Amino acid sequence: MDGRDLVRSVKMVGSVQGVRTVRSAWRRQRADARALPPRGPERARVPGLLAGAEPGPGGGVVRFARSELRIRVSAGGAVFWAWDGAEPLPSYALPGPAPEPDPRAVLEPDKDGGWQVVSERLTVVVSRHGAVELRTPGGVVLRRELPPRWWVPVAGGSARWVQRSELPADARFFGLGGRGAGPRLRDGSYALWNTDPGGRFGPGDDPLYLTMPVQVVVSDAGTHLAFHDNTWAGRVTVREGEEGAGSGHDRPGMCEVRMDGGPLRCWVVTGTPARVLQGWTALTGAPALPPSWALGPQHARWGFGSDREVRRVVAGYRERGLPLSVLHLDIDHYDGHQVFTVDCERFPDLAGLAKELREREGVRLVSIVDPAVKAEPGNAVFDAGSAVGSAGAFVRDARGRTVRGEVWPGECVYPDFTDPQVREWWGGLYEERLAQGFSGVWHDMNEPVSFTAFGDPTLPRSARHCLEGLGGDHREAHNVYGLAMARAGYEGLCRLRPDERPFLFSRSGWAGMQRYGGTWSGDVETGWPGLRASLALVLGLGLCGVPYSGPDVGGFDGSPSPELYLRWFQLGAWLPLFRTHSAIDAGRREPWEFGPEVLQHARAALEERERLRPYFVTLAQLARLTGAPYVRPLWWGAPGDRALRDCEDAFLLGDALLVAPVLQRGTDRRAVRLPRGRWYDTASGEAYEGPGQVLVDAPLSRVPVLARAGAVIPVRGADGGLELEVWAPAPGRTGGGLVVRDAGDGWEQPRVERYTSRLSGGQVVVERDGEESGVTCPVRVRGVHNC
């Protein structure tokens, strides 16, 4: 808790509610003190010496004096290991049954007195004391898990534990959900507790809204993903290693995972980065496919105030020839900030407004949805929720009383989304949003948040949850609250409009949230550090399996300078979710508010985004099919290139484009690190050879974008139809690309078209499935003069 949280509680919400906020925080702390007494004396425990083993499907069980280790290799290659009898299920990360075991993987004695499981992609070696080594088929160690340690309360209760790992000295760490200081995670400690940072955040703030215990580790030995499937509060500490100079010894990298309770179980996926994300997606579920209109430019502001202001903003885009696909309404369109309501004075005919904008302007409306429900008899949602099941839909404390907190509507209660009955009821409420003409929803404040005057801005940790019928408290349910809410909304929208793909993105979530939609940065601070954090978040989330995300372009709070706004806008135009958004007192974010020069360059960025819409559609479809994020780190195709591992100021958009945003004030030229191969500057056509670093122009009018030689990119032609933009292959090389055409916003299965490019007699030849005759759309070749 810092001073700005208290200011928000009292000043922004109002002094009366500010007093209630203090009272709510006091009640929360009293409830926890009563229901969660001090742990008291604890006994430390380690596995002890090896006692025996029992082979089983895909692996088996290795027994020690004081614990047992279960190992199972799945048919898809993912490795599961767990202590103390933990199983893959139940799990919020897995969408269905656990993967079938690989019958070829067998638990067998190891030559050093331990046991091992040899599989196609990984060998798991267990020592006599409980250390677990993950080795490549060639015997190189990817990761060494030291014997874990538990602390068990003498009086009973959940054991806390720590798992320490050693990694190669050259390893680099990524992931852990949304981290403003990423995407590469430097030495430090990272909390696993979804948190509202209090109105704004920058690179130094941790944790943020969306944490998950998913590590992606890249080293010369290979790439792997490690997922500790545990929803409790925890902390991950990483320390990069150091290679010894000359004859000196290497200092290995270190990772330490500490959890306050819950099972000690882990999944590991190895291979190339593409294979790792494909395996992770196979394990946790394919990303939800956004409707194609959700890949266009979007605009939001907390404080539109009325339908008149909405029309003014949309007309401003139209009159200036700026494309706009979506406009978002924040909490100010509600009646008294109460969810699933409309302020009929300011929006007298919201459904008519939505229809008008969609039919005349091609602009869809998206609504905010918060989980907090005003605790007031007569409030339709409160009354309906109170009648769900035998005990009502809302979270209760250890004494069985409904937990109350302070949010925008005042005193509120919180649906327990870990209860299937509650999810079904809540999903049905979205019928009201659809009747108001909204085409999609964005979930906010769902960490969940209760305004606080001190301490953690969330529910009491002792609050009780259903947890799919197993029961438990908020310590276990907190991190998956946003994930379960997203599931409720997504499944409800699917039931209400079964012929349309839902559009939903959520501020909070957990591993597997991609099944229900995407996310955004939350309230990133306005400033150049916030701009850099925006890119870090999108890259890190993509590596955790959440491919659709983006920042509040321009920053949420404060007033960006024209230069900062334009550079943020130019970055946003190359990210999956392209949305401007700002706080009620932070000023407007329309491009024309920053002067004619900014407007001119913003128009160019918007037009290029629209020209590339078929490419974004293709990337969205491929993300669903393969798990590959739209936005990828430069090392994606070459994880062995150490210079690329350390590059954090540029990214790949798919396989074809390299985007180098401007992240510093006053920059008109910048260095760009290139992966291997030939790359063309898309503005000048100049060719560069990688690997290496080049200096390129970055005028205020654009950010540097380079195309890979041989790339075949689907774009929108001047007539609105599909065209193929082909960048000439380097001599002696071939290229290609995949195209998935826009089949509408239903559930039609995608059809992937495969194209290749090659040089023949000085001409670029493009073929589909090996035949020139298969290319039925116009082709535009660029870069031929450099062949």
Side-chain angles (χ1 to χ4, degrees):
M1 170 71 189
D2 60 22
R4 71 180 180 225
D5 292 320
L6 183 58
V7 170
R8 182 179 68 172
S9 299
V10 178
K11 180 180 178 181
M12 294 181 65
V13 181
S15 59
V16 174
Q17 236 173 351
V19 172
R20 290 208 303 262
T21 295
V22 175
R23 187 171 66 243
S24 173
W26 177 74
R27 286 199 308 259
R28 182 171 62 251
Q29 291 203 353
R30 280 196 63 192
D32 283 347
R34 201 165 35 233
L36 300 176
R39 294 177 63 91
E42 297 176 317
R43 291 192 179 97
R45 173 168 61 89
V46 294
L49 289 175
L50 181 66
E54 180 182 333
V61 177
V62 183
R63 292 188 172 86
F64 296 85
R66 290 177 290 276
S67 188
E68 65 179 33
L69 172 68
R70 181 179 302 276
I71 302 172
R72 182 183 301 168
V73 179
S74 71
V79 174
F80 173 79
W81 56 264
W83 289 93
D84 287 350
E87 295 280 357
L89 297 176
S91 170
Y92 277 97
L94 275 59
E100 291 293 322
D102 183 350
R104 300 170 298 174
V106 178
L107 181 66
E108 58 190 22
D110 177 51
K111 62 182 180 180
D112 293 325
W115 290 81
Q116 68 176 11
V117 179
V118 180
S119 67
E120 180 182 2
R121 300 179 187 173
L122 202 64
T123 297
V124 184
V125 180
V126 182
S127 78
R128 290 173 293 174
H129 296 277
V132 179
E133 282 191 356
L134 306 173
R135 301 176 181 173
T136 67
V140 179
V141 176
L142 284 173
R143 185 182 191 98
R144 185 171 189 265
E145 308 284 358
L146 301 178
R149 181 180 293 267
W150 296 266
W151 287 269
V152 184
V154 173
S158 182
R160 58 189 179 93
W161 53 263
V162 61
Q163 174 76 70
R164 294 186 178 92
S165 311
E166 293 180 349
L167 297 110
D170 65 294
R172 296 290 181 261
F173 299 89
F174 302 86
L176 298 183
R179 304 286 168 172
R184 174 181 160 196
L185 302 176
R186 259 67 174 192
D187 294 1
S189 186
Y190 301 88
L192 297 170
W193 187 256
N194 294 346
T195 303
D196 175 8
R200 67 181 186 273
F201 72 87
D205 291 301
D206 186 88
L208 300 179
Y209 314 95
L210 202 167
T211 69
M212 60 179 82
V214 179
Q215 309 165 34
V216 176
V217 182
V218 185
S219 68
D220 288 351
T223 302
H224 72 272
L225 179 150
F227 166 53
H228 288 83
D229 193 352
N230 183 312
T231 67
W232 284 63
R235 186 166 292 276
V236 177
T237 301
V238 300
R239 186 194 68 202
E240 293 181 351
E242 184 176 345
E243 294 180 296
S247 60
H249 295 289
D250 288 351
R251 177 173 61 81
M254 183 276 291
C255 175
E256 178 184 273
V257 179
R258 287 182 177 267
M259 288 292 184
D260 292 346
L264 202 176
R265 57 184 181 176
C266 184
W267 288 92
V268 176
V269 185
T270 65
T272 64
R275 176 171 281 186
V276 165
L277 265 294
Q278 187 172 26
W280 175 241
T281 299
L283 185 66
T284 60
L289 184 66
S292 57
W293 51 263
L295 297 170
Q298 307 184 37
H299 186 82
R301 190 171 80 239
W302 176 18
F304 279 127
S306 68
D307 59 352
R308 179 180 301 176
E309 177 67 3
V310 168
R311 287 188 172 92
R312 185 196 71 81
V313 170
V314 174
Y317 274 87
R318 182 190 67 245
E319 291 164 3
R320 294 167 177 83
L322 304 176
L324 180 66
S325 293
V326 185
L327 190 138
H328 298 247
L329 297 188
D330 211 317
I331 55 174
D332 51 292
H333 85 280
Y334 282 141
D335 182 8
H337 295 153
Q338 297 183 61
V339 67
F340 300 118
T341 65
V342 175
D343 185 332
C344 293
E345 289 188 9
R346 292 183 294 159
F347 293 88
D349 183 13
L350 183 55
L353 173 65
K355 183 178 180 182
E356 170 193 329
L357 294 180
R358 182 169 180 171
E359 293 181 353
R360 294 185 184 179
E361 310 289 351
V363 175
R364 289 168 169 81
L365 290 185
V366 166
S367 171
I368 190 173
V369 173
D370 288 355
V373 175
K374 186 174 180 63
E376 182 177 74
N379 172 7
V381 178
F382 176 76
D383 291 345
S386 300
V388 172
S390 59
F394 305 115
V395 176
R396 295 179 176 270
D397 64 17
R399 291 175 151 186
R401 300 176 302 182
T402 304
V403 172
R404 301 196 175 201
E406 289 292 323
V407 200
W408 300 119
E411 191 172 55
C412 291
V413 291
Y414 300 82
D416 181 6
F417 295 115
T418 69
D419 185 335
Q421 263 190 304
V422 175
R423 288 199 296 268
E424 185 173 1
W425 161 71
W426 185 266
L429 298 178
Y430 289 74
E431 185 174 12
E432 182 273 340
R433 294 288 88 183
L434 297 179
Q436 295 292 348
F438 289 108
S439 298
V441 295
W442 53 293
H443 289 171
D444 203 355
M445 307 291 287
N446 60 338
E447 288 70 35
V449 172
S450 175
F451 294 156
T452 183
F454 52 89
D456 190 6
T458 185
L459 305 186
R461 298 196 179 205
S462 59
R464 304 299 298 174
H465 289 265
C466 171
L467 288 166
E468 316 307 318
L470 298 176
D473 61 38
H474 197 65
R475 293 173 297 174
E476 185 176 1
H478 174 82
N479 282 336
V480 294
Y481 189 89
L483 170 74
M485 182 186 179
R487 178 179 177 181
Y490 183 85
E491 291 177 348
L493 291 169
C494 286
R495 290 194 303 269
L496 293 167
R497 286 194 177 166
D499 296 330
E500 293 184 19
R501 299 197 303 273
F503 177 54
L504 183 151
F505 61 103
S506 172
R507 191 170 81 172
S508 183
W510 201 66
M513 68 169 295
Q514 73 277 359
R515 301 191 296 266
Y516 313 116
T519 185
W520 90 105
S521 67
D523 303 337
V524 60
E525 68 180 13
T526 297
W528 293 94
L531 172 59
R532 183 175 288 273
S534 296
L535 176 57
L537 283 161
V538 175
L539 280 165
L541 287 164
L543 292 173
C544 292
V546 185
Y548 183 82
S549 68
D552 284 346
V553 168
F556 182 70
D557 69 326
S559 299
S561 68
E563 180 191 6
L564 174 60
Y565 172 81
L566 179 59
R567 292 309 195 186
W568 217 318
F569 199 88
Q570 290 167 335
L571 168 64
W574 297 95
L575 300 180
L577 172 59
F578 179 22
R579 185 182 80 145
T580 56
H581 186 222
S582 60
I584 193 169
D585 57 352
R588 304 183 189 278
R589 290 288 190 269
E590 294 84 58
W592 56 87
E593 298 290 344
F594 294 86
E597 184 179 19
V598 169
L599 174 60
Q600 176 187 353
H601 300 328
R603 177 183 289 110
L606 284 167
E607 290 173 348
E608 183 65 4
R609 171 70 176 223
E610 288 298 276
R611 190 180 76 90
L612 285 167
R613 180 82 74 91
Y615 187 49
F616 277 93
V617 168
T618 294
L619 293 178
Q621 291 280 6
L622 294 178
R624 178 166 181 78
L625 292 171
T626 70
Y630 312 32
V631 171
R632 308 165 187 177
L634 291 189
W635 49 260
W636 179 262
D641 188 328
R642 296 187 176 188
L644 295 180
R645 284 184 219 157
D646 295 339
C647 183
E648 301 178 282
D649 61 355
F651 61 91
L652 298 174
L653 183 63
D655 285 332
L657 298 175
L658 189 160
V659 182
V662 172
L663 305 176
Q664 293 182 315
R665 179 189 294 110
T667 300
D668 59 6
R669 283 176 68 79
R670 60 151 293 175
V672 178
R673 175 70 61 178
L674 298 179
R676 184 176 300 278
R678 174 173 291 185
W679 296 86
Y680 295 99
D681 186 320
T682 57
S684 67
E686 186 173 352
Y688 301 98
E689 296 294 334
Q693 184 169 278
V694 297
L695 192 64
V696 297
D697 290 333
L700 195 61
S701 59
R702 61 179 176 83
V703 297
V705 178
L706 296 97
R708 190 188 301 271
V712 179
I713 305 172
V715 299
R716 182 178 290 175
D719 62 353
L722 180 70
E723 287 187 0
L724 299 180
E725 183 171 88
V726 181
W727 289 88
R733 297 291 189 92
T734 60
L738 303 176
V739 177
V740 183
R741 302 186 187 229
D742 188 355
D745 297 329
W747 299 94
E748 183 176 335
Q749 289 298 311
R751 183 179 175 186
V752 180
E753 302 174 8
R754 302 176 184 275
Y755 293 87
T756 58
S757 63
R758 57 184 174 85
L759 283 175
S760 178
Q763 300 292 318
V764 175
V765 177
V766 180
E767 299 174 336
R768 177 181 173 184
D769 298 327
E771 300 287 341
E772 285 188 68
S773 60
V775 181
T776 58
C777 52
V779 175
R780 184 160 66 102
V781 177
R782 301 183 65 181
V784 177
H785 61 282
N786 289 295
C787 294

